């Protein structure tokens, strides 16, 4: 089912297959920029119809990640319903059936939040304006950040990182993992709502 009427319309996900995406593609020629036709794959949204204050929390959309999802499914071939996690400035979580159909998606701005806190808040000095890296990642500190965030929220748990640094002597490199854990705890909460019981 097409959610709109023109060639750039989104497709609605409800057991949306790669073939459904292919059927939704539209091809256009733009002679001023290319001597060949360009095919557009429609974006995907969680449901058709109007978004209202009563149903908005179930709505989300993808414009590009649907192709990543199809490729990942083809590569990984999971045997059960799965959630693909596509990290970035906007983390995307995509539910996929065992048969490869897209069942829905959820987006969070965790990457942007982490960047904003790391570079633009009072915590920037405490973390040395840098992110945790694979080499210096501290799983215990990430767990502490996540637990604190789930206990009292992101705002307070992030500021607690400054307290750990200023009053507790915890070095910046360890606080980066703490902050990462705190931010990602918010995604864990969102996933609880996104994945059906």
């Amino acid at each position: 089912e097409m959610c709109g009427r023109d060639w750039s319309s989104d497709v609605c996900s409800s057991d949306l297959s790669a073939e459904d995406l292919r059927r939704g593609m539209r091809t256009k020629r733009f002679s001023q920029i290319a001597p060949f036709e360009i095919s557009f794959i429609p974006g995907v949204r969680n449901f058709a119809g109007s978004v209202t204050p009563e149903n908005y929390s179930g709505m989300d959309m993808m414009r590009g990640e649907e192709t990543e999802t199809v490729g990942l499914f083809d590569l990984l071939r999971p045997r059960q319903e799965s959630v693909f996690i596509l990290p970035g400035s906007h983390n995307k979580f995509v539910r996929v059936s065992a048969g490869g159909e897209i069942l829905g998606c959820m987006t969070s701005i965790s990457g942007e939040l982490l960047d904003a806190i790391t570079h633009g808040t009072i915590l920037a000095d405490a973390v040395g304006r840098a992110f945790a890296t694979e080499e210096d990642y501290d799983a215990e500190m990430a767990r502490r950040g996540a637990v604190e965030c789930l206990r009292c929220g992101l705002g307070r748990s992030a500021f607690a990182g400054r307290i750990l640094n200023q009053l507790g002597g915890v070095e910046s490199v360890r606080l980066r993992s703490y902050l990462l854990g705190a931010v990602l705890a918010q995604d864990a909460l969102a996933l609880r709502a996104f994945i059906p019981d």
Side-chain angles (χ1 to χ4, degrees):
E1 170 183 54
M2 296 301 288
C3 295
R5 292 194 173 94
D6 66 19
W7 62 272
S8 62
S9 297
D10 292 338
V11 175
C12 298
S13 67
S14 58
D15 301 338
L16 182 71
S17 68
E19 180 59 25
D20 294 327
L21 286 174
R22 189 196 63 71
R23 278 195 303 272
M25 286 174 52
R26 299 294 182 263
T27 301
K28 291 281 190 180
R29 182 175 294 277
F30 301 93
S31 56
Q32 65 274 27
I33 62 169
F36 48 81
E37 291 185 331
I38 298 173
S39 294
F40 292 87
I41 300 170
V44 175
R45 56 189 286 180
N46 283 356
F47 58 83
S50 299
V51 176
T52 68
E54 290 72 38
N55 70 7
Y56 75 95
S57 66
M59 176 56 85
D60 213 307
M61 64 277 206
M62 295 186 276
R63 297 210 167 92
E65 296 91 353
E66 67 283 349
T67 59
E68 290 179 64
T69 300
V70 169
L72 280 171
F73 183 84
D74 191 51
L75 178 69
L76 300 173
R77 297 288 180 182
R79 295 182 182 177
Q80 59 193 18
E81 184 177 310
S82 303
V83 175
F84 291 168
I85 301 171
L86 308 174
S89 62
H90 296 75
N91 288 344
K92 190 75 69 174
F93 302 87
V94 185
R95 280 182 50 227
V96 181
S97 74
E101 294 87 11
I102 295 173
L103 303 175
C105 65
M106 180 189 71
T107 309
S108 82
I109 61 166
S110 320
E112 286 191 11
L113 286 173
L114 184 61
D115 181 65
I117 295 168
T118 299
H119 295 105
T121 69
I122 196 168
L123 199 61
D125 287 338
V127 295
R129 290 181 165 73
F131 303 118
T133 66
E134 187 176 347
E135 293 76 31
D136 63 32
Y137 175 73
D138 183 327
E140 176 56 25
M141 287 302 289
R143 186 193 67 76
R144 286 179 186 273
V147 167
E148 188 66 5
C149 182
L150 294 174
R151 188 182 75 78
C152 63
L154 181 58
R156 172 60 189 168
S157 62
F159 186 80
R162 180 173 165 81
I163 294 169
L164 283 168
N165 178 253
Q166 297 289 308
L167 304 176
V170 175
E171 60 273 11
S172 296
V173 70
R174 295 183 68 215
L175 285 178
R176 295 169 192 159
S177 294
Y178 171 89
L179 182 58
L180 176 64
V183 170
L184 291 181
Q186 298 295 297
D187 282 352
L189 282 177
L191 277 168
R192 285 185 191 164
F194 177 59
I195 299 171
D197 294 330

Coordinates of all heavy atoms in Angstrom, one line a residue, residues 74-113:
D74 N 19.9 -10.3 3.9 CA 20.4 -11.2 2.9 C 21.8 -11.7 3.3 O 22.1 -12.9 3.1 CB 20.6 -10.4 1.6 CG 20.9 -11.4 0.4 OD1 20.1 -12.4 0.3 OD2 21.8 -11.1 -0.3
L75 N 22.6 -10.9 4.0 CA 23.9 -11.3 4.5 C 23.8 -12.2 5.7 O 24.5 -13.2 5.8 CB 24.7 -10.0 4.8 CG 26.1 -10.3 5.4 CD1 27.0 -10.9 4.3 CD2 26.7 -9.0 5.9
L76 N 23.0 -11.9 6.7 CA 22.9 -12.6 8.0 C 22.0 -13.7 8.0 O 22.2 -14.7 8.8 CB 22.6 -11.6 9.1 CG 23.6 -10.4 9.3 CD1 23.1 -9.4 10.3 CD2 25.0 -10.9 9.6
R77 N 20.9 -13.7 7.3 CA 19.8 -14.7 7.2 C 19.4 -15.2 8.6 O 19.5 -16.4 8.9 CB 20.3 -15.9 6.4 CG 20.6 -15.6 5.0 CD 19.3 -15.4 4.3 NE 19.5 -15.1 2.8 CZ 18.6 -14.9 2.0 NH1 17.4 -14.9 2.4 NH2 18.9 -14.6 0.7
P78 N 19.0 -14.3 9.5 CA 18.5 -14.8 10.8 C 17.3 -15.7 10.7 O 16.5 -15.6 9.8 CB 18.1 -13.5 11.5 CG 17.8 -12.5 10.5 CD 18.7 -12.9 9.3
R79 N 17.2 -16.7 11.6 CA 16.2 -17.7 11.5 C 14.9 -17.3 12.3 O 14.0 -18.1 12.4 CB 16.7 -19.0 11.9 CG 17.8 -19.5 11.0 CD 18.3 -20.8 11.4 NE 19.4 -21.2 10.5 CZ 20.1 -22.3 10.6 NH1 19.8 -23.2 11.6 NH2 21.0 -22.6 9.7
Q80 N 15.0 -16.2 13.0 CA 13.8 -15.8 13.8 C 13.7 -14.3 13.7 O 14.5 -13.6 13.1 CB 14.1 -16.1 15.3 CG 15.3 -15.5 15.8 CD 15.7 -16.1 17.2 OE1 15.3 -17.2 17.5 NE2 16.5 -15.4 17.9
E81 N 12.5 -13.7 14.2 CA 12.3 -12.3 14.1 C 13.5 -11.6 14.8 O 14.0 -12.1 15.9 CB 11.0 -11.9 14.8 CG 10.7 -10.4 14.7 CD 9.4 -10.1 15.3 OE1 8.4 -10.7 15.0 OE2 9.4 -9.1 16.1
S82 N 14.0 -10.6 14.2 CA 15.2 -9.9 14.7 C 15.0 -8.4 14.7 O 14.1 -7.9 14.1 CB 16.4 -10.2 13.9 OG 16.6 -11.6 13.8
V83 N 15.9 -7.7 15.5 CA 16.0 -6.3 15.4 C 17.4 -5.9 14.9 O 18.4 -6.3 15.6 CB 15.7 -5.6 16.8 CG1 15.9 -4.1 16.7 CG2 14.3 -5.9 17.3
F84 N 17.5 -5.3 13.8 CA 18.7 -4.8 13.3 C 19.0 -3.4 13.9 O 18.1 -2.5 13.9 CB 18.7 -4.7 11.8 CG 18.7 -6.0 11.1 CD1 18.4 -6.1 9.7 CD2 18.9 -7.2 11.8 CE1 18.4 -7.3 9.1 CE2 18.9 -8.5 11.1 CZ 18.6 -8.5 9.8
I85 N 20.2 -3.2 14.4 CA 20.6 -1.9 15.0 C 21.5 -1.2 14.0 O 22.6 -1.7 13.7 CB 21.2 -2.1 16.4 CG1 20.2 -2.8 17.3 CG2 21.6 -0.7 16.9 CD1 20.8 -3.2 18.6
L86 N 21.1 0.0 13.5 CA 21.9 0.7 12.6 C 22.3 2.0 13.3 O 21.6 3.0 13.4 CB 21.1 1.0 11.3 CG 20.4 -0.2 10.7 CD1 19.5 0.3 9.5 CD2 21.4 -1.2 10.2
P87 N 23.6 2.0 13.8 CA 24.0 3.2 14.6 C 24.4 4.4 13.8 O 24.7 4.2 12.6 CB 25.2 2.6 15.4 CG 25.7 1.5 14.5 CD 24.5 0.9 13.8
G88 N 24.3 5.5 14.4 CA 24.7 6.8 13.7 C 24.2 7.9 14.6 O 23.9 7.8 15.8
S89 N 24.2 9.1 14.0 CA 23.7 10.3 14.7 C 22.3 10.0 15.1 O 21.8 10.5 16.2 CB 23.9 11.5 13.9 OG 23.1 11.4 12.7
H90 N 21.5 9.3 14.3 CA 20.2 8.9 14.6 C 20.2 7.4 14.6 O 20.3 6.8 13.5 CB 19.2 9.4 13.5 CG 19.0 10.8 13.5 ND1 20.0 11.6 12.9 CD2 18.0 11.6 13.9 CE1 19.6 12.9 13.0 NE2 18.4 12.9 13.6
N91 N 20.2 6.7 15.7 CA 20.2 5.3 15.8 C 18.9 4.8 15.3 O 17.8 5.3 15.6 CB 20.4 4.8 17.2 CG 21.9 5.0 17.6 OD1 22.8 5.2 16.8 ND2 22.1 4.9 18.9
K92 N 18.9 3.8 14.4 CA 17.7 3.2 13.8 C 17.6 1.7 14.2 O 18.6 1.0 14.1 CB 17.8 3.3 12.3 CG 16.5 2.9 11.6 CD 15.5 4.0 11.7 CE 15.8 5.3 10.9 NZ 14.8 6.3 10.9
F93 N 16.5 1.3 14.7 CA 16.2 0.0 15.1 C 15.1 -0.6 14.2 O 14.0 0.1 14.1 CB 15.8 -0.1 16.6 CG 16.8 0.5 17.5 CD1 16.8 1.9 17.8 CD2 17.7 -0.3 18.1 CE1 17.7 2.5 18.6 CE2 18.7 0.3 19.0 CZ 18.7 1.7 19.2
V94 N 15.4 -1.7 13.5 CA 14.4 -2.2 12.5 C 14.1 -3.6 12.8 O 14.9 -4.5 12.9 CB 15.1 -2.1 11.1 CG1 14.0 -2.5 10.0 CG2 15.6 -0.8 10.8
R95 N 12.8 -3.8 13.1 CA 12.2 -5.2 13.3 C 12.0 -5.9 12.0 O 11.4 -5.3 11.1 CB 10.9 -5.1 14.1 CG 11.0 -4.9 15.5 CD 9.7 -4.9 16.3 NE 8.9 -6.1 15.9 CZ 7.6 -6.1 15.6 NH1 7.0 -4.9 15.6 NH2 7.0 -7.2 15.4
V96 N 12.6 -7.1 11.9 CA 12.5 -7.9 10.7 C 12.0 -9.3 11.0 O 12.4 -9.9 12.0 CB 13.9 -8.0 10.0 CG1 13.8 -8.7 8.7 CG2 14.4 -6.6 9.7
S97 N 11.1 -9.8 10.2 CA 10.5 -11.1 10.4 C 11.6 -12.2 10.0 O 12.5 -11.8 9.3 CB 9.2 -11.3 9.6 OG 9.6 -11.5 8.3
A98 N 11.3 -13.4 10.4 CA 12.2 -14.5 10.0 C 12.2 -14.7 8.5 O 13.2 -15.2 8.0 CB 11.7 -15.8 10.7
G99 N 11.2 -14.2 7.8 CA 11.2 -14.2 6.3 C 11.8 -13.0 5.7 O 11.8 -13.0 4.4
G100 N 12.3 -12.1 6.4 CA 12.9 -10.9 5.8 C 12.0 -9.7 5.6 O 12.5 -8.7 5.1
E101 N 10.8 -9.7 6.1 CA 9.9 -8.6 5.9 C 10.2 -7.6 7.0 O 10.4 -7.9 8.1 CB 8.4 -9.0 6.0 CG 8.0 -9.9 4.8 CD 8.2 -11.4 5.1 OE1 8.5 -11.7 6.2 OE2 8.1 -12.2 4.2
I102 N 10.1 -6.3 6.6 CA 10.3 -5.2 7.6 C 9.0 -5.1 8.3 O 7.9 -4.9 7.7 CB 10.7 -3.9 6.9 CG1 12.1 -4.0 6.2 CG2 10.6 -2.7 7.9 CD1 12.5 -2.9 5.4
L103 N 9.0 -5.2 9.6 CA 7.8 -5.1 10.5 C 7.6 -3.7 11.1 O 6.5 -3.4 11.5 CB 7.9 -6.1 11.6 CG 8.1 -7.6 11.1 CD1 8.3 -8.5 12.3 CD2 6.9 -8.0 10.3
G104 N 8.7 -2.9 11.1 CA 8.6 -1.6 11.7 C 10.0 -1.1 12.0 O 10.9 -1.8 12.0
C105 N 10.0 0.2 12.4 CA 11.3 0.8 12.8 C 11.1 1.8 13.9 O 10.0 2.3 14.2 CB 12.0 1.5 11.6 SG 11.1 2.9 10.9
M106 N 12.2 2.1 14.6 CA 12.2 3.1 15.6 C 13.5 3.9 15.5 O 14.6 3.3 15.3 CB 12.1 2.5 17.0 CG 12.1 3.5 18.1 SD 12.2 2.7 19.7 CE 13.9 2.1 19.7
T107 N 13.5 5.2 15.7 CA 14.6 6.0 15.6 C 14.9 6.7 17.0 O 13.9 7.1 17.6 CB 14.5 7.1 14.5 OG1 14.1 6.5 13.3 CG2 15.7 7.9 14.3
S108 N 16.1 6.8 17.3 CA 16.5 7.7 18.5 C 17.6 8.6 18.1 O 18.3 8.3 17.1 CB 16.9 6.9 19.7 OG 18.2 6.5 19.6
I109 N 17.8 9.7 18.8 CA 18.8 10.6 18.5 C 20.0 10.5 19.4 O 20.7 11.4 19.7 CB 18.3 12.1 18.4 CG1 17.8 12.5 19.7 CG2 17.3 12.3 17.3 CD1 17.6 14.1 19.8
S110 N 20.3 9.3 19.9 CA 21.3 9.0 20.8 C 22.7 9.5 20.4 O 23.4 10.1 21.2 CB 21.5 7.5 21.1 OG 20.3 6.9 21.1
G111 N 23.0 9.3 19.1 CA 24.3 9.8 18.6 C 24.4 11.3 18.7 O 25.4 11.9 19.2
E112 N 23.3 12.0 18.4 CA 23.4 13.5 18.5 C 23.4 13.9 20.0 O 24.1 14.9 20.3 CB 22.1 14.1 17.8 CG 22.2 14.1 16.3 CD 21.1 14.9 15.7 OE1 20.4 15.7 16.4 OE2 21.0 14.8 14.5
L113 N 22.7 13.2 20.9 CA 22.7 13.5 22.3 C 24.1 13.3 22.8 O 24.6 14.2 23.6 CB 21.7 12.7 23.1 CG 20.3 13.0 22.9 CD1 19.4 11.9 23.6 CD2 20.0 14.4 23.5

